[in-house]
Amino acid sequence: RSLAVAGLIAMVCGVSPVSSAACPNIPTSLEISNCAKPQNWSDLNNIVASNSRVVLCPFTIILTNDERPLKLNQQHEIICANEGECVIEGGKTQLKILSASASVSIHGFTFKEATKSAVIVTAPNEQSFCYTTFDSNDGARGSAIRGAKGTELFISQSSFVRNGAKLGTVFSEGKVEAVDSAFEDNFSTIGGSALYLKGGSNFTVRGTSFKNNTGGGNFISVADMFNDGGGNTGSGNVGACGANGAFVREEEKCVYFNGIGTDTNFTDETDEPTKFTVNGTYPLHPVPKNPPPGYF
């Protein structure tokens, strides 16, 4: 959807053209008409590095495993003029948000077929991913996004589809908030086919759908804190809590979406069940173009 159209709708309805407090302001028509068009990976790196806020024209850049990720160490708002049409495909890790001063908002991107976690975050400030798609990525911990201890991830109006990991399409040791998003057809061998959060982490979710997230363990597996903000739905997901429940490991219990169903306690549940395979193969999603050693 064109961001200009979205901004017009917002203004007609009498509200500020802002997706959310954590998402960047929708670009003006002037910003869209003057969008920057990266010609290659090096050019994209240079454009982003030289602008705290940039609106990019649609592009598709295909990476090899030899190309280094885009590294962000400052404050950035990086926006695609047409949502979903700024595509980074292939390679190992595509984006790293690293330094203590980094605070980044990504809007309208597609991260696709990375083989070693599409995005890695170590910066302790809030990082937001809005109207962004993560498709067919792979990684041991966090095929789409991996957050280190103390990180804060805000996810809004975003989609996670066909990603495969050992632990978590989104894996975090910090705080995660997901709003009005979708997790569908993701796979894990050990646990957290949608999300896996380690100790000291905090997961809040509202208005989000979870569908056909399968594999080992539980499709949502959190260490100790799960906050259901309401409006969440689940179907076809795999885990001890069924299709609509998050497993809280510290308390060894299920917490169900929207208060539907009775929270269930387990007396013999381990951190996660044993590794899961289907006909001895992994993953079930499309194989990346440059699979790393040990992928199969």
Side-chain angles (χ1 to χ4, degrees):
R1 186 180 74 233
S2 168
L3 290 175
V5 173
L8 178 61
I9 292 171
M11 288 184 283
V12 168
C13 294
V15 296
S16 175
V18 180
S19 299
S20 115
C23 294
N25 289 343
I26 290 172
T28 64
S29 58
L30 181 61
E31 285 181 308
I32 291 173
S33 64
N34 292 326
C35 63
K37 175 70 173 180
Q39 301 302 312
N40 51 47
W41 188 235
S42 176
D43 193 28
L44 176 62
N45 276 260
N46 291 334
I47 291 170
V48 171
S50 58
N51 292 277
S52 59
R53 176 179 166 91
V54 62
V55 177
L56 296 168
C57 306
F59 67 84
T60 297
I61 295 175
I62 299 175
L63 305 180
T64 68
N65 282 341
D66 294 329
E67 288 177 291
R68 295 185 175 184
L70 174 62
K71 294 182 180 180
L72 302 179
N73 296 298
Q74 301 175 24
Q75 295 188 3
H76 293 279
E77 292 184 349
I78 307 169
I79 304 160
C80 189
N82 292 337
E83 289 166 7
E85 295 183 25
C86 294
V87 181
I88 302 174
E89 179 178 338
K92 294 180 180 178
T93 299
Q94 298 168 345
L95 170 64
K96 288 185 176 181
I97 304 172
L98 301 174
S99 77
S101 60
S103 180
V104 176
S105 295
I106 304 290
H107 191 122
F109 270 58
T110 295
F111 295 93
K112 186 176 182 181
E113 295 185 5
T115 61
K116 197 175 180 181
S117 301
V119 176
I120 294 176
V121 178
T122 61
N125 304 304
E126 183 176 86
Q127 320 300 330
S128 66
F129 301 88
C130 306
Y131 294 92
T132 290
T133 297
F134 293 84
D135 185 356
S136 302
N137 299 291
D138 194 71
R141 296 187 175 191
S143 50
I145 306 175
R146 178 173 178 172
K149 187 175 181 179
T151 56
E152 298 183 17
L153 307 176
F154 179 81
I155 298 163
S156 177
Q157 302 282 347
S158 293
S159 299
F160 297 79
V161 293
R162 296 180 292 271
N163 300 288
K166 291 182 179 179
L167 286 172
T169 289
V170 174
F171 176 98
S172 179
E173 300 178 64
K175 182 185 295 184
V176 179
E177 182 176 0
V179 179
D180 298 330
S181 294
F183 292 78
E184 185 169 343
D185 294 325
N186 300 294
F187 181 89
S188 65
T189 57
I190 299 176
S193 51
L195 296 108
Y196 189 99
L197 275 71
K198 283 195 70 174
S201 56
N202 182 330
F203 178 45
T204 300
V205 60
R206 65 180 185 274
T208 294
S209 65
F210 298 86
K211 184 177 180 181
N212 299 333
N213 298 290
T214 59
N218 302 285
F219 75 99
I220 298 177
S221 181
V222 302
D224 49 19
M225 194 169 296
F226 174 74
N227 304 306
D228 184 343
N232 302 303
T233 61
S235 65
N237 303 301
V238 169
C241 305
N244 327 285
F247 185 71
V248 182
R249 299 191 303 277
E250 185 175 282
E251 300 178 52
E252 296 184 339
K253 74 172 186 178
C254 295
V255 178
Y256 295 96
F257 295 156
N258 312 315
I260 298 173
T262 304
D263 291 353
T264 305
N265 288 288
F266 293 84
T267 57
D268 58 349
E269 182 77 12
T270 57
D271 192 308
E272 285 291 347
T274 54
K275 185 174 180 179
F276 179 90
T277 59
V278 177
N279 297 327
T281 62
Y282 159 70
L284 299 183
H285 63 76
V287 176
K289 293 180 179 179
N290 301 296
Y295 181 84
F296 297 102

